[in-house]
Amino acid sequence: MLTDVLVPGNRWDLLAPYPIPTPRVSVVVTHYEQPHQLQRTCLALHRQTAPPLEIIIADDGSATPPAPPTGGPPTRVVRQPDRGFRAAAARNLGARHSSGEVLVFLDADTVPEPDFLREIVATVSRCPDALAVGRRRHADFTGTAPDAHPATATHLPEPTWLTEGYTTSRNLLDADGRSFRHVISALLACRKTLFEELEGFDERFTGYGGEDWDLGYRAWNAGAVLVHERSATAWHDGPDWEGRDSDREALDRQSARLAALIPEPTTRGAALPIDLPDVLVDLSPTADPFRTTHSLLRQDFRDLKIRLPPDADPAALELYGRTAQTEAWSPDQLRRCRARLHARAPLPPGAVTTAMNLLVDKDLAQVTLTATGDEVATLTSTRSTARAHRWRNRFSSEEIRDQFGTAHIETGPPPPPRTTLAGFFEKRDPSTPQP
């Protein structure tokens, strides 16, 4: 049983008055050559105060099929060939074989406390937008009995980057567009419907790490409500990356892959000439394709891509053919851009930066840009649009937009209407008479 409650923004705290349902939970445990750790984690799942519907062991190509302990909830093993580290694909495989309403992901080396499942689904069971992450603690299980409470093992330091992130964001209540960095797949929960809407983990992620941040980014972009369920504790067998000898080359590969797929500015670091930009720009049919497109290429906000209609002026297609596209936006572009801009007229160079900062910092649905009172562009967040789509059977897009809020900015006077194209291209000072 689930409850569907809509909350504004990321306000999961507003769910407090609602009773917590008891959903049907499928636990997907990712495994590779860890028989002893898997046994400990499965035994801990057998002792849950809110038992799962099923346990699915998603094996990433172990030489010997895993043999989970008997007893407890129904358990099955699903496997994929060993083609290197493919945790993202393994988790997707496990999810495809699940039958529960809620998915909980654990790693084989991450041992849940008895109340873990009850606590990690508390928000997810009330809000279909929720993506919940538990509290990961660390321990050395050497000499600890397989069926012992995980907190009895030797404690290791908690990762400061996580604890500080959760503390400063009030357990992600104050989440923003960078909070996906605090989503970790070792102990994660969401509705199966949300997971399927996101199309699961991106299987382009191979090698250690990154696929959880990518899922968190796409979830936030899809209007998810991020929550850290601090009381949902599971213990990782061994130290965090902070306490290990880091593999710089592996970390660099992870950062490069994230930058390629996540256009969030501090993740990407620079506007890249690739097909997954931060802002997708469509021109109004009434827009001057030359002046409007040129003004967009002059923006100090560089991580954008412009789409020209296939029937645009052939001279415009010749001029901008290598910087603009004419085909429809791809699903990957639509889910990964943070915003879409509909441009009706030329914009001054700092307009998109100002509008994006306002849209993202205030978690707004839309920013309208005007020039001396006339609307010249609208910037719409992917996040609000996706949430509106998810709730379309109960609420109008206007109602969802109003929950997020809107704003407008004045960009300043438009360029003189009779400026020749040559004069427009010259980028003269606005006070200089134009030819």
Side-chain angles (χ1 to χ4, degrees):
M1 181 182 70
L2 299 170
T3 301
D4 291 346
V5 181
L6 173 67
V7 297
N10 205 62
R11 293 293 305 278
W12 52 260
D13 57 318
L14 299 179
L15 295 166
Y18 295 89
I20 301 175
T22 303
R24 294 180 294 114
V25 176
S26 297
V27 181
V28 177
V29 181
T30 312
H31 169 269
Y32 176 73
E33 304 288 9
Q34 302 156 285
H36 301 298
Q37 291 175 322
L38 178 64
Q39 180 187 40
R40 188 186 301 278
T41 295
C42 286
L43 289 174
L45 288 170
H46 293 180
R47 298 192 301 272
Q48 292 295 300
T49 56
L53 171 72
E54 60 188 354
I55 301 170
I56 301 168
I57 312 300
D59 181 63
D60 189 17
S62 297
T64 302
T70 58
T75 301
R76 77 178 83 173
V77 175
V78 294
R79 308 185 70 209
Q80 66 185 18
D82 184 3
R83 296 175 185 160
F85 191 103
R86 295 191 295 142
R91 294 189 185 102
N92 289 345
L93 176 65
R96 286 196 297 272
H97 285 81
S98 68
S99 55
E101 302 164 299
V102 170
L103 294 171
V104 173
F105 294 95
L106 280 170
D107 287 348
D109 57 6
T110 305
V111 188
E113 292 190 354
D115 289 333
F116 173 79
L117 288 182
R118 183 187 303 279
E119 298 296 338
I120 201 167
V121 302
T123 302
V124 170
S125 64
R126 290 174 287 179
C127 177
D129 299 320
L131 183 75
V133 60
R135 181 185 182 188
R136 182 175 67 181
R137 302 193 66 181
H138 294 259
D140 180 354
F141 283 91
T142 303
T144 305
D147 58 353
H149 192 293
T152 62
T154 302
H155 294 195
L156 298 174
E158 290 192 60
T160 55
W161 66 277
L162 269 181
T163 55
E164 289 176 358
Y166 295 143
T167 299
T168 57
S169 67
R170 296 190 296 163
N171 290 320
L172 298 181
L173 182 61
D174 302 326
D176 58 27
R178 282 180 52 78
S179 296
F180 64 86
R181 293 171 174 268
H182 301 121
V183 171
I184 51 175
S185 52
L187 58 177
L188 187 68
C190 66
R191 299 271 183 104
K192 186 174 183 179
T193 51
L194 178 62
F195 187 78
E196 290 175 340
E197 179 185 330
L198 297 172
E199 298 188 359
F201 291 93
D202 193 320
E203 296 185 14
R204 285 174 287 191
F205 282 86
T206 57
Y208 179 83
E211 76 282 348
D212 43 9
W213 287 10
D214 176 76
L215 182 78
Y217 171 79
R218 287 185 288 114
W220 179 261
N221 241 20
V225 172
L226 302 186
V227 56
H228 174 227
E229 302 285 11
R230 182 174 171 80
S231 57
T233 303
W235 295 77
H236 176 83
D237 186 3
D240 181 58
W241 274 100
E242 289 180 347
R244 310 181 208 177
D245 293 329
S246 61
D247 182 342
R248 179 174 177 176
E249 184 179 350
L251 293 175
D252 283 351
R253 285 196 302 270
Q254 180 189 125
S255 296
R257 187 177 301 113
L258 288 166
L261 297 176
I262 296 179
E264 191 276 326
T266 55
T267 302
R268 177 162 284 180
L272 301 175
I274 57 178
D275 289 331
L276 296 177
D278 197 9
V279 175
L280 302 179
V281 183
D282 286 286
L283 302 189
S284 168
T286 60
D288 180 323
F290 298 99
R291 290 165 178 82
T292 305
T293 300
H294 233 71
S295 76
L296 291 163
L297 296 175
R298 289 173 176 172
Q299 293 295 310
D300 54 18
F301 187 98
R302 304 296 300 167
D303 204 345
L304 55 77
K305 194 169 187 66
I306 304 160
R307 182 173 65 171
L308 295 174
D311 59 352
D313 187 318
L317 295 175
E318 178 185 19
L319 180 60
Y320 302 116
R322 292 183 178 274
T323 59
Q325 73 178 59
T326 56
E327 64 272 15
W329 301 120
S330 72
D332 216 16
Q333 288 175 318
L334 291 170
R335 73 168 63 95
R336 291 183 177 280
C337 73
R338 292 190 299 165
R340 296 186 65 179
L341 182 73
H342 185 74
R344 300 170 179 83
L347 300 173
V352 176
T353 293
T354 301
M356 276 296 288
N357 287 343
L358 185 58
L359 187 85
V360 172
D361 293 347
K362 301 294 185 182
D363 196 15
L364 299 176
Q366 193 171 81
V367 175
T368 302
L369 295 84
T370 59
T372 60
D374 293 329
E375 187 173 311
V376 292
T378 52
L379 185 71
T380 304
S381 80
T382 304
R383 174 168 163 74
S384 66
T385 301
R387 186 179 293 182
H389 180 76
R390 189 156 49 252
W391 287 91
R392 63 192 179 280
N393 293 329
R394 288 180 55 185
F395 298 96
S396 69
S397 57
E398 290 77 13
E399 288 174 302
I400 301 297
R401 182 192 62 197
D402 291 344
Q403 274 204 340
F404 278 93
T406 61
H408 84 275
I409 59 173
E410 173 66 30
T411 66
R418 286 181 289 189
T419 300
T420 65
L421 200 56
F424 186 85
F425 286 171
E426 286 180 20
K427 296 175 59 177
R428 294 182 183 178
D429 184 278
S431 62
T432 304
Q434 299 292 302

